[in-house]
Amino acid sequence: MKHYTNINDLGNLQKAVQEAMELKKNPLQHKTLGEGKSICLLFFNNSLRTRLSTQKAAQNLGMNVIVMNFGSEGWELEFEDGVVMNQNKSEHIKEAAKVIAQYCDLVAIRAFASLTDKEKDKAEMVINSFKKYAGIPVVNMESATGHPLQALADAITMGEFKTAHKPKVVLSWAPHPKALPHAVANSFVEMMQLQKADFVITHPEGYELNPEITKNSTIEYDQKKAFENADFVYVKNWSSFKDYGKIMNTDSSWMITSEKMKLTNNAKFMHCLPVRRNVIVTDEVIDSENSIVIQQANNRTYSAQIVLKKILEHHE
Ligand code: SN0
């Protein structure tokens, strides 16, 4: 694998999940693979799990890690070609990417969606510019349209907790006070399309995700109906895709409650975190035994580690 910017870059999801589970049993089994190699983690946005787990994963492989909060500490970057740079932006991506690539062997980037310009977000300017100009492997730590490290961790977690051969998995929208990106939901959908499962997406009307991503996945607008017999309830807020980046609904009736969880087949509750308690989900549900959010976050390390391992092996 050269880059990891989309879940499909893995080639074979099931195999990657199996390998990650093996790695988890002995995380230091490849501790010399990355010896003498450096990875730069560049953050244009906040992070907790992604930053710490990717750092941990790289260290488990013997790599040197350089972290930079680009959003607050880097020069503001220009991505457009041929611009007269006499405004706020200090440095062009052409120089920045080439310079960064001299200091590290891999670069991992977090750059959220703007949620103001749909076409620009769709074009994945930040990730694609690094791919174009840095000439080294690029890892997506949540871009404008995807969060494939999260989706791989979700697949690992479902693999560990599933009891049915073909589980019912529900991706449910829930309310949130802020307009949030589509990245986590998009990658979860793309990952589910590679799995044997009865997969249902539920959200209020107007919150349809990009149809180029959902394709023929089932959409059920009645949340309670969607929850019937579910084995996994994966919850995430996102803003409108159609009315791009807008909040159409903060209806608390979409919050995940114990009453709704009772409709399921004793489903596991999942969320990528950070989560707003008593907005997205009640304390009772997230504190229940069926909540596997902490185990899910733990798998972020093995998700990142298998991805870095595949890239290192490709470039050996
Ligand atoms: C991000 C998102 O894409 O939804 C990151 C998730 C991994 N989440 C948020 O920005 C939540 C922020 C908040 O204030 O609740």
Side-chain angles (χ1 to χ4, degrees):
M1 190 167 65
K2 185 162 165 47
H3 302 284
Y4 185 63
T5 56
N6 182 282
I7 188 89
N8 290 300
D9 292 337
L10 288 171
N12 185 330
L13 173 66
Q14 275 70 32
K15 208 163 147 243
V17 167
Q18 282 308 319
E19 284 174 20
M21 285 175 173
E22 279 306 310
L23 205 69
K24 190 172 177 178
K25 290 182 196 157
N26 178 6
L28 297 180
Q29 59 187 290
H30 307 285
K31 64 173 190 278
T32 57
L33 181 66
E35 233 169 40
K37 296 262 164 77
S38 298
I39 183 168
C40 284
L41 311 184
L42 307 182
F43 288 90
F44 291 88
N45 313 93
N46 296 351
S47 174
L48 188 164
R49 280 146 290 275
T50 300
R51 176 167 172 167
L52 299 185
S53 66
T54 309
Q55 192 159 352
K56 177 85 190 275
Q59 284 167 352
N60 284 349
L61 293 166
M63 302 182 83
N64 179 37
V65 187
I66 306 168
V67 185
M68 182 165 177
N69 278 321
F70 220 99
S72 53
E73 295 160 4
W75 300 110
E76 207 180 321
L77 296 183
E78 176 62 65
F79 289 88
E80 306 285 348
D81 270 341
V83 178
V84 177
M85 287 173 59
N86 61 359
Q87 301 293 312
N88 294 339
K89 297 183 179 158
S90 314
E91 176 155 26
H92 203 278
I93 181 67
K94 285 185 184 176
E95 286 80 47
K98 285 179 189 155
V99 167
I100 289 164
Q102 297 182 113
Y103 306 145
C104 55
D105 304 280
L106 270 83
V107 62
I109 299 151
R110 163 160 287 193
F112 286 178
S114 67
L115 294 180
T116 53
D117 188 328
K118 190 188 230 170
E119 292 315 312
K120 263 196 186 160
D121 285 349
K122 265 180 140 175
E124 290 286 14
M125 201 175 51
V126 180
I127 285 270
N128 285 334
S129 301
F130 272 97
K131 264 191 183 170
K132 186 169 169 191
Y133 297 117
I136 56 172
V138 173
V139 175
N140 180 347
M141 298 195 295
E142 187 170 337
S143 67
T145 65
H147 195 356
L149 284 173
Q150 180 65 50
L152 177 55
D154 299 336
I156 299 166
T157 311
M158 289 194 292
E160 288 175 333
F161 282 91
K162 79 172 179 199
T163 49
H165 177 61
K166 192 174 173 234
K168 179 170 177 184
V169 179
V170 180
L171 169 64
S172 179
W173 181 93
H176 196 286
K178 270 167 54 177
L180 296 188
H182 308 97
V184 171
N186 285 346
S187 291
F188 187 77
V189 170
E190 288 175 322
M191 181 274 287
M192 285 310 303
Q193 288 167 349
L194 302 171
Q195 298 257 24
K196 257 197 199 67
D198 173 10
F199 178 53
V200 181
I201 307 171
T202 183
H203 54 69
E205 282 187 49
Y207 274 104
E208 290 74 16
L209 291 161
N210 182 353
E212 288 163 31
I213 288 175
T214 52
K215 297 188 180 121
N216 53 6
S217 292
T218 307
I219 299 173
E220 168 59 67
Y221 294 105
D222 182 339
Q223 191 190 34
K224 287 189 177 146
K225 208 163 152 209
F227 273 40
E228 281 169 15
N229 281 317
D231 297 293
F232 292 94
V233 170
Y234 192 99
V235 184
K236 182 72 187 80
N237 170 270
W238 59 86
S239 55
S240 173
F241 179 75
K242 222 187 306 182
D243 196 356
Y244 195 63
K246 296 284 179 306
I247 299 179
M248 337 262 306
N249 182 334
T250 49
D251 187 354
S252 64
S253 74
W254 277 79
M255 178 166 65
I256 311 305
T257 62
S258 296
E259 287 65 44
K260 281 180 206 167
M261 291 301 283
K262 284 194 186 102
L263 301 168
T264 69
N265 179 30
N266 198 25
K268 299 292 182 206
F269 170 83
M270 296 178 75
H271 190 284
C272 64
L273 306 180
V275 69
R276 304 286 189 118
R277 282 172 173 256
N278 304 308
V279 178
I280 293 267
V281 56
T282 61
D283 284 334
E284 200 182 4
V285 172
I286 195 170
D287 291 331
S288 75
E289 280 199 348
N290 286 29
S291 167
I292 55 171
V293 295
I294 305 301
Q295 293 91 327
Q296 193 183 343
N298 188 30
N299 283 330
R300 290 296 309 276
T301 299
Y302 309 105
S303 158
Q305 200 173 329
I306 203 75
V307 162
L308 298 181
K309 178 173 171 281
K310 280 178 181 293
I311 293 174
L312 288 170
E313 283 167 348
H314 178 87
H315 290 268
E316 255 179 334

